[in-house]
Amino acid sequence: MSSEINLLHSDTMSNIRRVVHEILNWIEVNIHQPMSVKDIVIRSGYSKFYLQRTFKSVTGEPIARYICRRKLGAAACLLRENDTGISDIALGLGFEDISTFYRCFRREFGLSPGEYRKRWRKPSEFIIYPEEDATAHYREGDR
């Protein structure tokens, strides 16, 4: 009898992990879209209470916190890698309110988005070229 219960428990845990894994994949694919816990609950077909508890038991954090952290991480990458306006990045990642984006970003990284960009931006003049191509990037008068 106990082996049947253990087998049932392991099947249930396997299904729970599979469902959470599918949700994580869906969040990553749709990271640039507005999304809420309600959207994910509807998509999953589970009750909000059950899904929240299950998600946290597998990932260690609530769904809303996970979504926010992933969106802020994507924003940080965009701030480092291009010159897109901060409000465009926020709106492009589905933040509906710029002030919420700024407040959450500062809480996550300890800097405003603008300060973060200034500190972590990789200036193009520091790009290192391979040895054989290095001379191609000097102006004639510099050689």
Side-chain angles (χ1 to χ4, degrees):
M1 179 75 160
S2 76
S3 64
E4 291 173 1
I5 292 172
N6 288 338
L7 182 60
L8 179 61
H9 178 72
S10 68
D11 284 347
T12 302
M13 289 307 294
S14 176
N15 286 338
I16 288 169
R17 285 189 182 94
R18 183 184 52 76
V19 167
V20 171
H21 182 72
E22 288 174 9
I23 290 169
L24 293 171
N25 285 335
W26 185 83
I27 290 169
E28 293 304 313
V29 168
N30 295 285
I31 198 72
H32 291 89
Q33 304 298 320
M35 68 177 73
S36 67
V37 174
K38 183 179 177 182
D39 297 329
I40 293 169
V41 167
I42 290 169
R43 180 163 182 74
S44 75
Y46 292 101
S47 74
K48 182 177 179 179
F49 175 78
Y50 178 78
L51 187 61
Q52 290 272 39
R53 190 176 51 148
T54 302
F55 189 92
K56 186 171 183 178
S57 74
V58 173
T59 65
E61 63 187 328
I63 297 170
R65 176 73 188 120
Y66 178 85
I67 292 169
C68 185
R69 190 174 55 75
R70 290 298 303 125
K71 285 181 176 280
L72 292 171
C77 286
L78 291 169
L79 288 166
R80 285 190 311 266
E81 296 171 1
N82 65 52
D83 293 323
T84 304
I86 294 170
S87 60
D88 292 333
I89 289 173
L91 294 172
L93 286 167
F95 285 91
E96 295 176 1
D97 182 27
I98 304 302
S99 62
T100 299
F101 171 73
Y102 271 84
R103 187 174 58 253
C104 292
F105 195 94
R106 183 178 290 279
R107 189 178 330 128
E108 185 74 17
F109 295 103
L111 301 166
S112 72
E115 292 166 337
Y116 182 91
R117 176 177 267 165
K118 286 177 188 170
R119 179 173 290 177
W120 298 108
R121 178 74 184 200
K122 296 177 183 170
S124 60
E125 66 264 16
F126 294 127
I127 294 174
I128 299 172
Y129 296 99
E131 280 296 316
E132 64 273 5
D133 295 330
T135 58
H137 301 285
Y138 292 108
R139 294 180 302 191
E140 269 316 298
D142 292 342
R143 292 184 192 187

